[in-house]
């Protein structure tokens, strides 16, 4: 059997920027083990699989090379890009059903705007390995799904070095580091302990936590953001009470087929 696959660079307007995601349309779900093997074979931070419902919406699932996760931003943006531009979706809104509930993506000119549940970070007691894992000490440590480290300046975020010998001892999906931006409203980076990912180029799901935090800190409901990885990502954000919107651009890098033989 052969199945279509796309690679899309999300949160960027050019190839080799933003965060690449593999996008895999399906007529029906493959076995979970097979989807996990495919994500491992793709070796990108996430691979998205999606199946169309009779009403025109989609079920979506996301896999890192190691495990299935409950919420992922850039592969959702990438999947919406494929739905709009490659699959002939008839409207400017696409609806996805996920383990984190209903997610919508709206096409607004060259921006794709996702609507996600907000995850406000809360005070926590950080493990010593987390604090030992970075070259600069944060001023505040909070947590939602991920640990959330707040710094004084963008320069600190840019210069920050991670020690994965320490961070791999921390039990968490990911670690967000963030500060007020020099030009954007806020900047961030995202680290993934115990993973082949290491540092994720652009992380949409992290902004479900970043947006409510910075909206409160800056007393703003609309914000701009930059994720300061080597590939760099640009995001347009808004806080909407219990929800957030995260918008970005995307470009197609590759499309083709994968083959499952004797599987």
């Amino acid at each position: 059997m052969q199945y279509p696959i796309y690679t899309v660079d999300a949160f960027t307007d050019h190839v080799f920027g933003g965060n690449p995601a593999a996008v895999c349309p399906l007529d029906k779900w493959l076995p979970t083990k097979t989807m996990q093997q495919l994500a491992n074979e793709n070796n990108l931070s996430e691979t998205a699989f999606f199946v169309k419902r009779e009403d025109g919406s989609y079920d979506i699932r996301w896999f890192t090379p190691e495990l299935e996760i409950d919420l992922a931003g850039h592969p959702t943006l990438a999947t919406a890009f494929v739905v709009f531009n490659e699959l002939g979706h008839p409207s400017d809104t696409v609806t996805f059903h996920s383990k984190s509930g209903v997610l919508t993506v709206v096409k607004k000119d060259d921006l794709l705007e996702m609507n996600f549940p907000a995850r406000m970070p809360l005070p926590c007691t950080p493990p010593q390995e987390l604090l030992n894992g970075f070259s600069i000490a944060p001023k505040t440590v909070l947590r939602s799904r991920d640990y959330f480290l707040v710094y004084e300046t963008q320069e600190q975020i840019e210069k920050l070095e991670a020690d994965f010998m320490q961070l791999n001892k921390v039990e968490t999906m990911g670690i967000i580091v963030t500060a007020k931006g020099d030009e954007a409203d806020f900047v961030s980076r995202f680290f993934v302990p115990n993973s082949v990912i290491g540092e994720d180029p652009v992380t949409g799901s992290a902004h479900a936590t970043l947006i409510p935090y910075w909206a409160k800190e800056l007393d703003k409901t609309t914000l701009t953001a930059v994720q300061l990885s080597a590939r760099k990502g640009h995001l347009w954000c808004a806080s909407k009470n219990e929800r957030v919107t995260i918008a970005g651009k995307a470009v197609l890098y590759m499309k083709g087929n994968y083959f499952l033989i004797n599987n």
Side-chain angles (χ1 to χ4, degrees):
M1 293 291 291
Q2 69 179 46
Y3 302 85
I5 184 170
Y6 304 82
T7 301
V8 175
D9 291 337
F11 295 116
T12 184
D13 60 1
H14 60 277
V15 294
F16 311 127
N19 200 352
V23 178
C24 301
L26 296 170
D27 293 328
K28 61 180 181 180
W29 293 118
L30 297 170
T32 296
K33 179 181 178 181
T34 301
M35 290 189 287
Q36 185 63 72
Q37 289 172 321
L38 287 164
N40 182 267
E41 185 84 359
N42 292 332
N43 201 34
L44 296 172
S45 54
E46 277 98 18
T47 296
F49 298 89
F50 64 108
V51 176
K52 191 173 185 178
R53 292 187 173 189
E54 290 184 1
D55 64 1
S57 65
Y58 295 87
D59 293 306
I60 189 168
R61 295 170 70 181
W62 311 278
F63 291 79
T64 75
E66 292 95 1
L67 74 161
E68 184 173 6
I69 56 176
D70 69 340
L71 185 66
H74 89 276
T76 302
L77 193 83
T79 301
F81 177 90
V82 169
V83 170
F84 287 128
N85 294 284
E86 298 291 328
L87 303 185
H89 192 67
S91 75
D92 289 335
T93 300
V94 60
T95 300
F96 296 108
H97 303 271
S98 77
K99 291 186 175 182
S100 291
V102 175
L103 311 173
T104 59
V105 184
V106 180
K107 185 177 183 181
K108 296 184 175 181
D109 296 322
D110 60 347
L111 286 178
L112 299 177
E113 183 182 84
M114 301 183 292
N115 188 300
F116 274 20
R119 291 174 162 174
M120 176 67 85
L122 301 173
C124 70
T125 301
Q128 192 59 46
E129 293 84 359
L130 177 65
L131 301 177
N132 293 343
F134 290 103
S135 57
I136 304 171
K139 70 173 184 178
T140 305
V141 179
L142 306 170
R143 189 174 189 180
S144 56
R145 177 192 70 177
D146 310 305
Y147 279 107
F148 189 90
L149 282 59
V150 183
Y151 286 82
E152 295 282 357
T153 66
Q154 176 172 323
E155 183 180 19
Q156 289 179 313
I157 301 299
E158 293 169 339
K159 291 184 175 180
L160 197 64
E161 296 180 0
D163 179 355
F164 281 95
M165 291 291 288
Q166 292 292 323
L167 296 182
N168 286 344
K169 300 174 185 178
V170 179
E171 293 186 9
T172 183
M173 170 67 192
I175 302 166
I176 303 165
V177 299
T178 185
K180 185 177 178 181
D182 294 338
E183 296 177 2
D185 288 306
F186 64 88
V187 296
S188 67
R189 292 168 68 187
F190 189 83
F191 299 92
V192 189
N194 297 298
S195 170
V196 298
I197 298 169
E199 181 175 354
D200 195 37
V202 194
T203 318
S205 62
H207 286 76
T209 300
L210 286 157
I211 294 167
Y213 175 84
W214 285 111
K216 182 178 180 181
E217 288 293 307
L218 301 176
D219 194 25
K220 298 177 68 174
T221 56
T222 59
L223 308 103
T224 56
V226 177
Q227 191 156 329
L228 294 171
S229 65
R231 294 175 64 108
K232 194 169 289 187
H234 296 266
L235 308 94
W236 290 261
C237 311
S239 178
K240 298 180 181 292
N241 298 318
E242 299 301 313
R243 308 287 296 185
V244 297
T245 59
I246 308 163
K249 301 177 182 181
V251 293
L252 180 67
Y253 168 68
M254 180 183 70
K255 61 181 176 180
N257 296 282
Y258 60 94
F259 300 86
L260 297 180
I261 301 172
N262 298 325
N263 192 281

